[in-house]
Amino acid sequence: EEIEQIFSGLGFEILQGPEVEDDYHNFEALNMPSEHPARDMQDTLYLDKPLPPASGRTSFPGTLLRTHTSGMQIRYMENHTPPVRIIAPGLVYRRDTPDLTHSPMFQQVEAFWKAQDLEEAAAIAADAVAAARAITAAAGENNHDGAQSAFGDLRGTCATCHRSYREQTDEGYRIKPRE
């Protein structure tokens, strides 16, 4: 809830989506071909019998427990145009043996933003970095189970030209000024 409050305060929309997902939204639309390792039976929890499609959501039957919340991003982008600021929190499932750092079910929060231009992208990225710092400070450098914080490797990359728009300073990473 704290993460949702931080991102909501930065203008991000909070998405909720199905935990039983279809193959298209969990893999195909995310460019994970049929031979991708994440689709193996040892990593993904597939249903014995597909569930019928959720009313008005998709024409695909539910065949697996979602392995990430990225499917919500796909669903959102199918009906919205940039600029986009969303987070997709929720439970995700992986075929994993429970121990101190692994669980077959855990919370994931994905943030996705798509800007109309680089200036807007830099502003959104600066907000996201501020949110990441707030979350990391609230949670401490490590999660409760000892896993490293996912915010340790924030990237600012243009999807069109793949040039890096971040630089490391003594205080951490920041968005590079425009040249």
Side-chain angles (χ1 to χ4, degrees), residues 14-104:
I14 313 301
L15 303 182
Q16 301 296 323
E19 291 180 33
V20 175
E21 188 61 274
D22 59 73
D23 185 79
Y24 174 77
H25 288 96
N26 202 76
F27 297 122
E28 290 292 326
L30 297 164
N31 295 320
M32 292 185 197
S34 59
E35 66 276 0
H36 193 281
R39 297 175 80 153
D40 290 345
M41 291 295 284
Q42 73 250 19
D43 293 327
T44 301
L45 296 166
Y46 289 94
L47 303 178
D48 286 337
K49 188 176 181 180
L51 296 177
S55 171
R57 289 193 150 206
T58 180
S59 59
F60 304 104
T63 58
L64 55 98
L65 295 179
R66 67 181 176 196
T67 58
H68 45 78
T69 58
S70 300
M72 291 189 281
Q73 296 173 14
I74 298 299
R75 292 174 195 284
Y76 189 88
M77 290 186 299
E78 288 172 340
N79 297 304
H80 296 84
T81 58
V84 171
R85 285 187 183 202
I86 58 175
I87 66 165
L91 290 173
V92 297
Y93 304 87
R94 308 258 173 92
R95 192 176 294 274
D96 213 343
T97 304
D99 63 25
L100 289 176
T101 60
H102 296 87
S103 174

Side-chain angles (χ1 to χ4, degrees), residues 125-142:
D127 285 348
V129 169
R133 286 191 179 132
I135 293 164
T136 302
E141 189 57 34
N142 293 317

